[in-house]
Amino acid sequence: MADLVKVKIGFVSGGSSSMPHYNSFLPMVPQGVEIDFQGLQLYGKSLYEIGDKKDVILSRVKEFIAERKWDGLILTAAPTEVLNPGLYDDLKAAVSIPFTTALNACVAALRTYSAPKVLLLTPFDARLNDLIVAHLAKAGVTAISPNSFDELAVPKRMTPDEVFDLTKKNLAAVGKVDAIYFQGAVLDPIKCLERIESELKATVVASNPAMLWYVLSKLGYKYPTSGYGRLLREWPAMSA
């Protein structure tokens, strides 16, 4: 019922407003929180098409906030941010509601868990991974990214077992890190987060749970939730 909604969060993608991996995001959403998926349709066949679209992104986001009465904003996808340098700061100047990007939320989660060195796993190619690694370095996070895909997609719909095996293989290759960081929910770790953390003895930060934790925390809400890894289970306060 609409009157049970405490908070309405806009979830803005540079692409479509409907993607298969959103189905694994919705079960994490607490009761009383409404997620409003909106797509900017700024790329088609290549994620690189979203580059140099900062003015369009800012203008459309401001329109959405005004029209759809959002309390908070999630601007998803690391490529949107690294291909539009300065986007986070410009958003901060342009919007008055609590918001996060994928990279901002994940860096905040990594700081909360004192994890300055991470294994970075994405569904992206080497060029995009390099841009993300450079962005993270400026935020004080050393990311090791041993795995990339030739095209900007993982083999269609990797199963949780395949995601686990990919993680295990790459973790063994890089040696000791403070956490595993999944960026890009098309490489969907949600259904194996608990297994990765328990069997590989690692803290996992994944972009969708991190963005949900960050924006709800900024709005003053705390919703500890089991089944989606340490971050949502513990729902820690953000470090200063």
Side-chain angles (χ1 to χ4, degrees), residues 73-94:
L73 163 70
I74 288 170
L75 182 63
T76 189
T80 303
E81 190 165 1
V82 296
L83 294 172
N84 290 280
L87 178 60
Y88 180 87
D89 288 338
D90 286 355
L91 264 173
K92 194 171 182 180

Side-chain angles (χ1 to χ4, degrees), residues 31-188:
Q31 190 171 7
V33 176
E34 179 185 341
I35 301 293
D36 186 8
F37 293 102
Q38 296 294 328
L40 299 176
Q41 313 289 349
L42 292 179
Y43 66 87
K45 291 187 177 179
S46 170
L47 275 169
Y48 288 108
E49 293 170 26
I50 204 168
D52 300 318
K53 300 273 174 63
K54 190 162 55 172
D55 290 345
V56 179
I57 294 166
L58 291 169
S59 145
R60 294 285 301 284
V61 162
K62 285 164 72 177
E63 286 171 14
F64 281 139
I65 291 169
E67 291 168 6
R68 307 189 72 81
K69 309 290 190 247
W70 291 341
D71 301 298
L73 163 70
I74 288 170
L75 182 63
T76 189
T80 303
E81 190 165 1
V82 296
L83 294 172
N84 290 280
L87 178 60
Y88 180 87
D89 288 338
D90 286 355
L91 264 173
K92 194 171 182 180
V95 308
S96 57
I97 61 173
F99 78 94
T100 193
T101 60
L103 289 166
N104 175 68
C106 291
V107 167
L110 292 169
R111 284 179 178 154
T112 294
Y113 283 121
S114 302
K117 183 180 179 183
V118 300
L119 164 64
L120 173 68
L121 294 173
T122 82
F124 308 133
D125 64 2
R127 178 185 161 200
L128 256 183
N129 281 354
D130 288 347
L131 289 171
I132 294 169
V133 167
H135 183 102
L136 292 170
K138 289 178 185 173
V141 176
T142 300
I144 304 168
S145 179
N147 189 82
S148 59
F149 294 90
D150 292 334
E151 297 182 9
L152 292 183
V154 293
K156 288 302 170 197
R157 305 317 301 155
M158 288 179 87
T159 67
D161 284 346
E162 288 170 329
V163 175
F164 178 85
D165 290 343
L166 178 78
T167 307
K168 185 176 180 180
K169 180 185 82 172
N170 283 285
L171 188 60
V174 302
K176 182 165 174 47
V177 290
D178 302 307
I180 300 166
Y181 172 12
F182 284 92
Q183 178 59 63
V186 175
L187 178 61
D188 190 357

